[in-house]
Amino acid sequence: MQASRTTTSKRIESIDLLRGLIMIIMALDHTRDFFHRDGLSGNPLNPATSYPILYFTRWITHFCAPTFVFLSGLSAWLQGQRKTKQQLGLFLIKRGLWLIVFDLTIMSLVLTADIHFDFFVLETLWSIGAGMVLLGLLIRLPFKIILAIGLIIFFGHNLLDFAERTQMGNLPIWWKLLHQPGMIPLWSNHNLFIFYPFLSWAGLTLLGYCCGKLFTDTEPQQRKKVLLGIGGAAVLFFIVLRAINIYGDPIPWSMQKNSMATFFSFMNVQKYPPSLLFLCATIGPVLIFLALIKNTKIKLAKIIAVYGRVPLFYFVVHFFILHALQIITYLSRGHSVAEGMKGLPGLPFKFAMPGEGFSLWVVYIIWITIVIVMFPLSKWYDKYKTNHKEKWWLSYL
């Protein structure tokens, strides 16, 4: 019995550490969006124009969203160890719907700084919430059925690419919510901006849930072998299928002006929505990390884990701080509040001007500062949650 508790403890600490690392990396991507001079106008993954540090700065953040989504499913399995299937299903549906509403309201405001809500934004939290709702509806099905559905979505959703090409972008709203990002007019001047179509993310949630079984029903050494095997196979599968250049990603790679640019093209896989190859290239290393992580007791690991224990709090607050600083910077350049509120055609973000910003090195300084500032805030909230477990609403945050 003692061994079981120890295994569970280590598992929770390793996941907190992984999630904390991802939170730190995520802040880099968002800092670049807000403060880099090409944040709104350039493509950092364009092999013809990018350079190593810029490409790395963007590509490393590809790990963030899939890890969040995968771990949300894995955490659902762990919650299921202390809940009935009915209780877990109801909780997942309610929390998923709450995250969707939160995304459409609070996060839309924090992201765009638009008090009139000209744009309702569906991004990371919506995709996690939609996956939770689907999992909550499927939770009473046999484990193998849930696993099969997750695998079918994971490996097969790119078949929809072929149908999308024949429609030339003329797709119904429900299809866009499933698999095609874009803007949907609502009423008057209000629009729905879909960053994260949810189908492939939902499939990843189901697979994360099924992966949780390894952390409760498998001995540590065997779990390590399985995670290493699946993670290594995913990376190898990515390399082989990407080289074939036929299926798994709608953006084919091509030979470029030099070997580095060709490598950039090879690694430039689609995130919106995440392609099969995108998910293999990111989740594969994540599984390897979970297999190999050993010491979560060192001081640095404990510091990083603090961020990982309060992911939603960190997500919202760091966005709020970044956007507040971006607005201050915008106004300091001589722009007016009225100009900032007006925004630019086609962009959902207020107080932003493409081409204005800082060099990448300044972006890194701002990023490190934000991460440092978020530590005492995250530690305070983590302590608050720990000391107020009787507050039921905290489980939704």
Side-chain angles (χ1 to χ4, degrees):
M1 195 68 176
Q2 180 63 38
S4 175
R5 285 197 297 268
T6 301
T7 298
T8 302
S9 174
K10 287 183 179 179
R11 180 265 156 192
I12 293 174
E13 290 172 356
S14 64
I15 288 178
D16 284 340
L17 175 58
L18 171 60
R19 191 184 285 116
L21 285 171
I22 293 300
M23 304 302 292
I24 292 171
I25 295 171
M26 175 192 67
L28 173 60
D29 190 37
H30 298 155
T31 305
R32 183 191 59 81
D33 285 336
F34 281 115
F35 292 102
H36 190 228
R37 62 170 63 99
D38 296 326
L40 291 176
S41 57
N43 177 8
L45 299 179
N46 183 347
T49 59
S50 192
Y51 49 94
I53 185 61
L54 176 61
Y55 194 94
F56 171 82
T57 300
R58 177 64 181 110
W59 206 97
I60 191 67
T61 63
H62 277 349
F63 286 99
C64 299
T67 304
F68 289 148
V69 173
F70 184 80
L71 291 183
S72 71
L74 201 158
S75 298
W77 174 274
L78 296 176
Q79 290 181 46
Q81 305 307 298
R82 56 183 184 271
K83 288 184 171 72
T84 66
K85 287 291 183 67
Q86 181 178 2
Q87 291 172 333
L88 180 60
L90 184 60
F91 171 77
L92 289 172
I93 291 171
K94 290 192 296 184
R95 189 163 193 260
L97 292 174
W98 154 244
L99 287 176
I100 294 171
V101 172
F102 192 89
D103 217 17
L104 288 168
T105 54
I106 303 300
M107 285 311 301
S108 290
L109 178 61
V110 172
L111 281 169
T112 66
D114 181 5
I115 60 175
H116 302 295
F117 286 93
D118 293 335
F119 287 91
F120 295 94
V121 181
L122 291 177
E123 43 88 47
T124 311
L125 296 184
W126 133 264
S127 63
I128 294 174
M132 284 184 175
V133 171
L134 178 62
L135 179 58
L137 294 173
L138 300 177
I139 203 71
R140 296 193 187 188
L141 293 177
F143 175 85
K144 291 183 179 179
I145 299 297
I146 297 176
L147 176 60
I149 295 173
L151 289 172
I152 289 171
I153 296 174
F154 186 88
F155 286 101
H157 76 91
N158 278 123
L159 291 172
L160 298 178
D161 296 338
F162 301 104
E164 290 169 4
R165 291 169 191 162
T166 64
Q167 296 299 313
M168 302 296 290
N170 186 23
L171 300 167
I173 293 177
W174 62 266
W175 187 295
K176 292 181 179 180
L177 290 170
L178 280 176
H179 202 252
Q180 184 65 248
M183 189 173 65
I184 299 173
L186 297 176
W187 68 89
S188 184
N189 293 322
H190 298 280
N191 302 275
L192 179 66
F193 207 99
I194 305 171
F195 277 128
Y196 281 66
F198 82 89
L199 179 62
S200 45
W201 297 115
L204 188 60
T205 301
L206 300 182
L207 293 183
Y209 174 80
C210 294
C211 184
K213 189 176 179 68
L214 290 173
F215 289 86
T216 58
D217 300 359
T218 307
E219 290 298 320
Q221 286 302 315
Q222 181 62 24
R223 178 172 68 242
K224 178 180 178 180
K225 291 180 181 179
V226 174
L227 290 174
L228 279 175
I230 298 175
V235 173
L236 180 61
F237 183 76
F238 161 76
I239 295 172
V240 173
L241 195 60
R242 186 60 168 162
I244 295 173
N245 223 13
I246 294 176
Y247 178 76
D249 196 280
I251 308 172
W253 69 277
S254 60
M255 298 297 294
Q256 301 291 315
K257 58 187 178 181
N258 55 50
S259 58
M260 181 174 292
T262 299
F263 176 75
F264 287 171
S265 177
F266 188 88
M267 297 300 297
N268 184 21
V269 284
Q270 179 178 276
K271 180 180 179 180
Y272 306 105
S275 67
L276 167 61
L277 292 177
F278 176 94
L279 293 175
C280 287
T282 52
I283 292 301
V286 164
L287 294 177
I288 294 172
F289 177 89
L290 285 173
L292 297 180
I293 186 66
K294 292 181 179 179
N295 193 349
T296 58
K297 300 293 186 181
I298 61 175
K299 187 172 183 180
L300 180 60
K302 289 183 177 181
I303 291 173
I304 294 173
V306 170
Y307 300 117
R309 289 195 291 268
V310 291
L312 184 57
F313 173 84
Y314 180 104
F315 185 78
V316 177
V317 174
H318 100 286
F319 253 126
F320 180 84
I321 295 173
L322 282 171
H323 212 158
L325 288 175
Q326 193 262 351
I327 291 173
I328 293 172
T329 303
Y330 177 87
L331 296 176
S332 70
R333 294 193 180 102
H335 300 292
S336 66
V337 173
E339 185 181 1
M341 287 298 297
K342 183 179 179 181
L344 296 171
L347 284 178
F349 312 108
K350 306 299 183 182
F351 297 95
M353 180 66 68
E356 293 187 351
F358 303 102
S359 69
L360 199 57
W361 298 112
V362 175
V363 168
Y364 268 81
I365 292 172
I366 298 173
W367 164 58
I368 293 171
T369 302
I370 292 295
V371 171
I372 293 173
V373 168
M374 283 303 305
F375 180 75
L377 298 176
S378 299
K379 191 172 183 179
W380 166 81
Y381 186 66
D382 180 39
K383 184 177 181 180
Y384 180 83
K385 287 186 69 175
T386 301
N387 294 336
H388 295 83
K389 291 183 177 180
E390 76 282 358
K391 297 183 183 295
W392 62 269
W393 50 271
L394 286 173
S395 64
Y396 288 85
L397 301 175

